[in-house]
């Protein structure tokens, strides 16, 4: 079988992806405060991606609850789905589908609920009103790695994240109906499908895993882990209950959309493993998430499962033996291969097996091709690389057609990455989480630059990435960009997020 990245592949629902390159979800930070519909900036940004032959384009997280935002400028599902409410979303779907060269990327809307990770002040609720979560456990509570952050960081951390309110059965049913409303929004506005965000410590991940990632730095994941679900009812993390929340949502969505409507799920393998864990603990995490994926595949209703985490540029990626110390990178590389093998040996009919979308660290053509040939994935998700190089599919296709020069570019990175600007300034040494916000901010400003360029001239090339833009300058520019209607309470919230900010890049 030819595993070229430009081979089409069929989804279980019957839809075809024209190639294996997927623009992974990225948080855009472009909606109005405090959340709202897509706007001209979104249209400008996605029109650039639509030009260049991506097989599938996944939006940034579209929040189901206006009271559970991430960083305040989230796209939000409207409370009603009348013709006026649908218009901005119809325009976004049209933009994604509207490539000039006749190609038609599949448009996928990512649906998300932040749960306990919805911050105070900018989360869409009045100050100090707690968010909803499976259990009343604050983000990062009780974990040893959270100690010693420094007095300022601790103060801001506790001011930003509230102890959540445990969801009642009625709360759970309402959230499930919100996911259904989000799927109907996607279908009625012309999207090809949805992706349910069950990773990175968001609400669905909080239900599925007793330990979840909440935050990360630009170079490595940093644990803020704790027992997120200590329920004793039918939505507990007991094996017979652990995927109930997700399965009921999927079942409800399938009842109201056509069979050709795409449903994907995002899971992060690192959500199930703690940093520096012993090998047996890592194996237990692998077993748990693999059980979840087996269960999800057995439903016969899911089209793709995205597994994010890890880095394909690590030298030990292709040779990850069981005797090695299982850090997160090794765990991710080994796990993705295990999932592919396990699913194709399962009793699930071949035509119903979800495709595996792998996201995280793809930086050169050789690693994209190696992931396919080594059967680590069916689809290849690219997030930050798509921001640095929106025209990446077109560039790769041109390079492949020029076989004489293949040896000179196959191992070269797609683009220079601004890792140096992610380092925190010396004046905030005790705030260990600031690096995550710096990385997020730099790419957010880059996306805004692309969007603004396309609004001014849709036929223009996007501006080159500004590698001279410092990390703290990027953070400042990300947050000072607001309209005159912003209330003083938002300013306070922004100040706190500058000190302690969540990692929301891979949404």
């Amino acid at each position: 079988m030819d595993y070229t990245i430009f081979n089409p592949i069929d989804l279980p629902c019957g839809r075809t992806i024209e190639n294996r390159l997927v623009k992974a979800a990225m948080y855009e930070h472009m909606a109005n405060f405090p959340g709202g519909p897509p706007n001209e900036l979104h249209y400008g940004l996605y029109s650039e991606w639509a030009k260049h032959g991506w097989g599938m384009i996944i939006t940034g997280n579209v929040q189901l609850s206006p009271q559970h935002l991430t960083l305040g400028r989230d796209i939000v599902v409207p409370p009603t789905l009348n013709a006026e409410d649908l218009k901005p979303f119809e325009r976004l779907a049209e933009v994604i589908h509207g490539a000039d060269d006749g190609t038609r990327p599949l448009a996928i809307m990512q649906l998300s609920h932040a749960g306990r990770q919805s911050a105070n002040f900018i989360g869409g609720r009045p100050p100090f009103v707690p968010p909803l979560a499976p259990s009343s456990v604050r983000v990062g509570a009780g974990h040893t790695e959270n100690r010693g952050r420094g007095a300022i960081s601790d103060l801001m951390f506790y001011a930003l994240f509230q102890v959540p309110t445990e969801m009642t059965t009625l709360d759970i049913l309402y959230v499930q109906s919100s996911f259904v409303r989000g799927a109907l929004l996607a279908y009625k506005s012309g999207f090809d499908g949805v992706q349910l965000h069950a990773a990175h410590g968001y609400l669905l991940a909080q239900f599925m895993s007793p330990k979840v990632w909440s935050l990360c730095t630009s170079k490595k994941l940093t644990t803020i882990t704790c027992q997120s679900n200590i329920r004793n009812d039918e939505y507990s993390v007991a094996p017979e209950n652990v995927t109930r929340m997700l399965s009921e949502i999927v079942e409800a969505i399938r009842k109201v959309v056509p069979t050709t409507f795409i449903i994907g799920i995002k899971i992060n393998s690192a959500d199930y493993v703690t940093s520096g864990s012993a090998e047996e603990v890592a194996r237990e995490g692998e077993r748990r998430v693999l059980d979840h994926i087996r269960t999800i595949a057995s439903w016969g209703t899911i089209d793709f499962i995205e597994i994010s985490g890890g880095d394909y540029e690590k030298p030990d990626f292709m040779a990850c033996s069981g005797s090695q110390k299982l850090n997160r990178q090794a765990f991710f590389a080994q796990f993705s291969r295990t999932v592919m093998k396990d699913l194709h040996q399962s009793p699930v009919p071949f035509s119903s097996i979800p495709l595996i979308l792998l996201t995280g660290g793809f930086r050169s053509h050789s690693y994209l091709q190696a992931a396919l040939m080594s059967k680590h994935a069916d689809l290849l998700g690219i997030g930050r690389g798509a921001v640095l190089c929106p025209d990446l599919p077109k560039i790769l296709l041109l390079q492949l057609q020029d076989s004489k020069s293949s040896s000179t570019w196959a191992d070269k990175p797609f683009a220079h990455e601004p890792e140096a600007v992610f380092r925190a300034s010396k004046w905030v040494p005790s705030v260990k989480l600031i690096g995550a916000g710096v990385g997020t901010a730099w790419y957010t400003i880059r996306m805004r630059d692309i969007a603004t360029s396309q609004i001014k001239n849709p036929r223009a090339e996007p501006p080159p990435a500004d590698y001279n833009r410092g990390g703290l300058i990027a953070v400042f520019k990300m947050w000072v960009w607001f309209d005159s209607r912003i209330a003083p309470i938002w300013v306070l919230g922004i100040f706190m997020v500058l000190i302690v900010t969540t990692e929301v890049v891979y949404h």
Side-chain angles (χ1 to χ4, degrees):
M1 183 181 293
D2 185 2
Y3 284 97
T4 175
I5 59 179
F6 289 98
N7 269 5
I9 189 169
D10 294 330
L11 292 160
C13 70
R15 302 296 298 275
T16 298
I17 303 178
E18 294 301 323
N19 62 60
R20 311 302 180 88
L21 296 173
V22 177
K23 197 291 292 181
M26 299 281 290
Y27 176 70
E28 305 103 353
H29 200 68
M30 290 179 179
N32 292 332
F33 272 116
N39 56 37
E40 292 298 324
L41 288 168
H42 294 98
Y43 308 146
L45 175 63
Y46 280 88
S47 68
E48 178 60 30
W49 278 318
K51 295 176 184 177
H52 302 298
W54 293 91
M56 186 160 72
I57 294 177
I58 306 176
T59 70
N61 51 4
V62 177
Q63 297 294 347
L64 299 163
S65 169
Q67 291 81 40
H68 291 81
L69 308 180
T70 55
L71 299 184
R73 285 190 177 272
D74 307 34
I75 297 178
V76 179
V77 174
T80 60
L81 302 181
N82 58 43
E84 197 64 28
D85 292 327
L86 292 177
K87 284 182 180 179
F89 296 91
E90 291 173 340
R91 173 77 185 280
L92 183 58
E94 290 171 359
V95 164
I96 295 175
H97 288 148
D100 296 331
D101 58 2
T103 61
R104 191 178 187 274
L106 294 178
I108 305 296
M109 181 186 294
Q110 187 184 76
L111 301 178
S112 177
H113 190 297
R116 67 176 189 166
Q117 286 189 171
S118 178
N120 196 25
F121 301 103
I122 59 172
R125 302 175 307 282
F128 301 107
V129 172
L132 295 175
S135 300
S136 186
V137 182
R138 186 199 297 266
V139 173
H143 197 281
T144 56
E145 292 192 25
N146 298 320
R147 298 169 187 168
R149 281 184 297 244
I152 296 178
S153 180
D154 283 340
L155 176 63
M156 295 301 132
F157 184 91
Y158 283 102
L160 189 61
F161 292 108
Q162 303 301 295
V163 175
T165 299
E166 181 172 315
M167 298 172 70
T168 65
T169 301
L170 287 178
D171 291 329
I172 290 173
L173 293 175
Y174 182 78
V175 167
Q176 291 179 346
S177 68
S178 297
F179 273 97
V180 175
R181 189 174 78 253
L184 283 172
L185 169 68
Y187 169 62
K188 290 183 176 182
S189 57
F191 280 82
D192 301 292
V194 294
Q195 182 188 54
L196 308 181
H197 198 331
H200 301 163
Y202 286 166
L203 184 70
L204 294 181
Q206 293 162 28
F207 272 97
M208 292 174 62
S209 177
K211 291 190 176 182
V212 296
W213 290 103
S214 298
L215 302 163
C216 68
T217 66
S218 59
K219 293 186 178 180
K220 68 176 182 178
L221 288 167
T222 300
T223 54
I224 293 214
T225 62
C226 66
Q227 201 92 8
S228 63
N229 184 353
I230 55 176
R231 302 177 72 96
N232 295 312
D233 61 5
E234 64 268 33
Y235 294 100
S236 70
V237 292
E240 66 273 16
N241 296 328
V242 67
T243 58
R244 183 186 302 274
M245 179 69 164
L246 185 59
S247 67
E248 291 180 348
I249 290 170
V250 171
E251 182 179 359
I253 291 174
R254 278 292 176 210
K255 289 179 179 179
V256 298
V257 296
T259 57
T260 55
F261 189 76
I262 299 166
I263 298 181
I265 293 174
K266 181 168 187 171
I267 291 178
N268 191 349
S269 58
D271 285 356
Y272 296 77
V273 189
T274 54
S275 179
S277 61
E279 183 170 335
E280 59 271 18
V281 177
R283 293 297 183 191
E284 172 61 21
E286 180 184 78
R287 183 201 61 76
R288 189 186 308 121
V289 66
L290 187 57
D291 284 345
H292 292 178
I293 291 176
R294 285 186 190 127
T295 300
I296 291 169
S298 72
W299 301 338
T301 55
I302 299 301
D303 294 292
F304 70 91
I305 299 174
E306 178 179 357
I307 301 173
S308 64
D311 191 329
Y312 266 69
E313 293 293 301
K314 289 294 181 179
D316 60 351
F317 172 70
M318 294 301 171
C320 185
S321 67
S323 61
Q324 290 177 299
K325 182 178 179 180
L326 288 178
N327 59 26
R328 279 192 163 76
Q329 301 291 353
F331 172 83
F332 170 70
Q334 191 176 57
F335 176 72
S336 61
R337 180 168 47 228
T338 301
V339 169
M340 289 282 287
K341 182 178 179 181
D342 186 86
L343 290 184
H344 286 84
Q345 292 177 346
S346 71
V348 178
F350 181 80
S351 61
S352 299
I353 296 175
L355 301 186
I356 296 301
L357 165 60
L358 202 56
T359 300
F362 290 119
R363 295 186 178 94
S364 68
H365 173 268
S366 61
Y367 283 98
L368 292 171
Q369 193 73 6
L372 294 176
M373 295 187 68
S374 301
K375 299 184 179 180
H376 290 159
D378 300 299
L379 303 169
L380 308 167
I382 302 172
R384 287 182 169 182
V387 177
L388 295 172
C389 297
D391 57 347
L392 181 59
K394 190 170 291 185
I395 291 175
L396 291 177
L397 186 58
L398 291 173
Q399 290 174 337
L400 284 170
Q401 292 171 347
D402 186 7
S403 58
K404 293 182 180 179
S405 64
S406 61
S407 60
T408 63
W409 56 257
D411 294 322
K412 293 180 64 176
F414 304 138
H416 171 62
E417 295 193 11
E419 294 183 357
V421 305
F422 296 166
R423 298 169 188 164
S425 295
K426 294 180 179 179
W427 64 276
V428 285
S430 63
V431 184
K432 298 180 181 180
L433 306 178
I434 194 69
V438 171
T440 299
W442 195 94
Y443 282 93
T444 296
I445 299 304
R446 167 66 177 160
M447 284 188 280
R448 196 188 305 163
D449 289 343
I450 294 172
T452 303
S453 170
Q454 290 303 299
I455 292 172
K456 291 179 179 178
N457 185 357
R459 298 189 178 276
E461 294 292 324
D466 184 2
Y467 294 101
N468 293 320
R469 180 181 290 143
L472 292 181
I473 293 297
V475 172
F476 178 76
K477 292 190 69 174
M478 175 179 175
W479 288 107
V480 296
W481 176 66
F482 53 75
D483 56 50
S484 59
R485 295 171 297 173
I486 189 169
I489 196 66
W490 293 106
V491 177
L492 177 60
I494 288 169
F495 170 74
M496 290 189 170
V497 174
L498 291 177
I499 303 300
V500 182
T501 184
T502 55
E503 171 61 54
V504 291
V505 172
Y506 291 116
H507 289 321

